[in-house]
Amino acid sequence: MSSPATPATHALPLRRLRHRAREQAVSAAESVSFPELVWAHYLHVQELHKNGDLHSPAEAEYREKLDRFVAENGRILNAYWCTSEASGVALTEQPGTRVAGFLWRRHSNIRLHGATDWVTKGAPDIGHGLHTCETLAIRVTEVLSGTSERIAMQWILSVAGYLLGVVDQGHGKPAQAVATRAVKRARSELTQVETYYDRAGEKTGRLIYFWGMMLGLATLAVIGSAVYSLFKTLDVSQMETQLFFVCYTMGAVGALVSVMARMTAGGNFTIDYEVGRPALRRLGSFRPIIGAIFAIVLYFSLRGGLIQVSAGDSDPTPFFYGALAFAAGFSERRAKIITGGAARFLGEAEEEEGEPKGAPHVSKGGKAEAGAGSTG
């Protein structure tokens, strides 16, 4: 009698099994660094040029190290290998994993690997240029993603490969004029790459900040649901509840519209995109929350009589409160103008409780001086 088949819902996807098998294989094997791979490739090429054997022990050693390196760092997109010395640069891509195993896929990890000290020991200027490539690649990897990251990293690799080609053709000691010309051209290219990186980084930072604001709106929705339940428990009147949530919502919307308006062409919205994605996302999530807080303060000030804003001959309506709350969330400066009456009222109350206006006080010289409120 045959055993019943295992339900398909309990079977792991084949891709997850392959990924788990690869992780186990990497953990079981010794990790291979890129300099080790470069050295194995150099020995393989030397053996190939010497004997012409395509299946030499050096070739088998190189293939074995290559498989372990790719299993750990991802497939090699492009590479340049020197032939005069054991040096090279390579670009690898490791696919991003899925969130929770089945949701959207994270961005792939593209990384530049370099081992160039052997061939550039007689050409320090070219070595400095290659170091600039590596530092710029670090910034690109941490900030950019997707197509912009792929373009910038491929661009950097082409510059690094060009520099290595110049020093490799000179067998580690190119002519000074050739090296100077190559470094000058490489710096010009890297300047263009950095300009592209700055432009793409600014757009990427704005996009992350926007999704952070969406996260802030979601947080406000959860908080609003809890506040609504509290109002039901306290038996707050329906009109008061409506006015509260009108101001609460319009303050958050005003903050969102304010940022989006400044993100358009010619706006004055600037962010430091190199602070990192989590920090940008948190900063964006705070913006609608701050707008909602300003709107709620405005609502309490209006209902408590701290400030007086005329709505014409008719009584204030939810539309009236919503417009003021939107203005408060749209700009902190407008919120300060609207709530300025409440600030002055509180300031006068503090003065009445403390020292009277114009009360004289004695200076160091013993003479009585008039207070800030005196007119004499």
Side-chain angles (χ1 to χ4, degrees), residues 220-353:
L220 287 175
V222 174
I223 297 176
S225 300
V227 173
Y228 180 77
S229 300
L230 179 63
F231 279 13
K232 295 284 287 184
T233 304
L234 298 178
D235 195 20
V236 180
S237 66
Q238 184 177 2
M239 178 56 66
E240 294 294 338
T241 302
Q242 291 179 356
L243 293 179
F244 177 86
F245 281 102
V246 164
C247 294
Y248 180 81
T249 304
M250 293 304 295
V253 172
L256 178 64
V257 173
S258 173
V259 174
M260 294 182 65
R262 286 184 287 142
M263 281 184 178
T264 57
N268 59 350
F269 183 81
T270 57
I271 55 176
D272 185 4
Y273 49 85
E274 290 189 338
V275 299
R277 294 171 179 270
L280 281 178
R281 197 173 291 110
R282 284 194 296 268
L283 288 174
S285 65
F286 292 154
R287 187 63 184 89
I289 295 176
I290 293 174
I293 291 175
F294 271 112
I296 292 173
V297 171
L298 173 64
Y299 166 75
F300 286 144
S301 300
L302 289 172
R303 301 301 291 178
L306 293 179
I307 57 177
Q308 300 293 331
V309 180
S310 175
D313 297 334
S314 61
D315 295 333
T317 63
F319 301 103
F320 172 79
Y321 283 94
L324 291 181
F326 181 88
F330 189 87
S331 173
E332 291 86 348
R333 181 175 59 85
R334 290 185 176 88
K336 292 177 182 178
I337 293 175
I338 296 175
T339 59
R344 288 192 297 269
F345 176 83
L346 294 176
E348 292 175 357
E350 290 179 356
E351 288 182 357
E352 290 177 358
E353 294 178 359

Side-chain angles (χ1 to χ4, degrees), residues 62-367:
Y62 163 67
R63 294 298 176 185
E64 189 269 337
K65 290 186 180 298
L66 177 62
D67 291 340
R68 286 157 56 186
F69 179 80
V70 169
E72 184 177 0
N73 297 279
R75 68 188 183 97
I76 296 180
L77 297 176
N78 203 351
Y80 181 89
W81 310 94
C82 293
T83 57
S84 63
E85 190 58 82
S87 295
V89 289
L91 204 64
T92 61
E93 179 184 22
Q94 192 169 28
T97 58
R98 291 190 178 275
V99 178
F102 65 95
L103 298 177
W104 66 90
R105 184 178 294 277
R106 297 183 177 92
H107 293 292
S108 58
N109 182 21
I110 301 178
R111 183 182 174 189
L112 178 69
H113 304 264
T116 60
D117 291 341
W118 291 308
V119 76
T120 58
K121 58 185 177 182
D125 291 340
I126 291 183
H128 293 159
L130 290 170
H131 175 71
T132 303
C133 291
E134 293 180 3
T135 55
L136 182 57
I138 293 173
R139 296 167 61 191
V140 169
T141 302
E142 292 296 326
V143 174
L144 302 185
S145 62
T147 303
S148 58
E149 180 188 15
R150 189 179 296 271
I151 292 174
M153 294 297 287
Q154 290 277 13
W155 200 346
I156 293 173
L157 179 69
S158 68
V159 175
Y162 165 72
L163 290 175
L164 278 181
V166 171
V167 71
D168 193 27
Q169 292 175 4
H171 298 281
K173 293 183 179 180
Q176 184 62 36
V178 174
T180 301
R181 186 166 55 251
V183 170
K184 183 178 180 180
R185 180 180 177 182
R187 287 177 178 174
S188 177
E189 286 284 329
L190 290 176
T191 300
Q192 298 180 43
V193 176
E194 189 164 9
T195 301
Y196 174 82
Y197 158 74
D198 289 334
R199 186 170 63 251
E202 181 72 22
K203 293 179 180 179
T204 301
R206 291 183 177 189
L207 185 61
I208 296 173
Y209 192 92
F210 171 79
W211 285 113
M213 291 193 298
M214 294 296 102
L215 179 62
L217 289 178
T219 303
L220 287 175
V222 174
I223 297 176
S225 300
V227 173
Y228 180 77
S229 300
L230 179 63
F231 279 13
K232 295 284 287 184
T233 304
L234 298 178
D235 195 20
V236 180
S237 66
Q238 184 177 2
M239 178 56 66
E240 294 294 338
T241 302
Q242 291 179 356
L243 293 179
F244 177 86
F245 281 102
V246 164
C247 294
Y248 180 81
T249 304
M250 293 304 295
V253 172
L256 178 64
V257 173
S258 173
V259 174
M260 294 182 65
R262 286 184 287 142
M263 281 184 178
T264 57
N268 59 350
F269 183 81
T270 57
I271 55 176
D272 185 4
Y273 49 85
E274 290 189 338
V275 299
R277 294 171 179 270
L280 281 178
R281 197 173 291 110
R282 284 194 296 268
L283 288 174
S285 65
F286 292 154
R287 187 63 184 89
I289 295 176
I290 293 174
I293 291 175
F294 271 112
I296 292 173
V297 171
L298 173 64
Y299 166 75
F300 286 144
S301 300
L302 289 172
R303 301 301 291 178
L306 293 179
I307 57 177
Q308 300 293 331
V309 180
S310 175
D313 297 334
S314 61
D315 295 333
T317 63
F319 301 103
F320 172 79
Y321 283 94
L324 291 181
F326 181 88
F330 189 87
S331 173
E332 291 86 348
R333 181 175 59 85
R334 290 185 176 88
K336 292 177 182 178
I337 293 175
I338 296 175
T339 59
R344 288 192 297 269
F345 176 83
L346 294 176
E348 292 175 357
E350 290 179 356
E351 288 182 357
E352 290 177 358
E353 294 178 359
E355 184 178 353
K357 291 184 179 180
H361 62 275
V362 180
S363 64
K364 292 183 179 180
K367 295 182 179 180

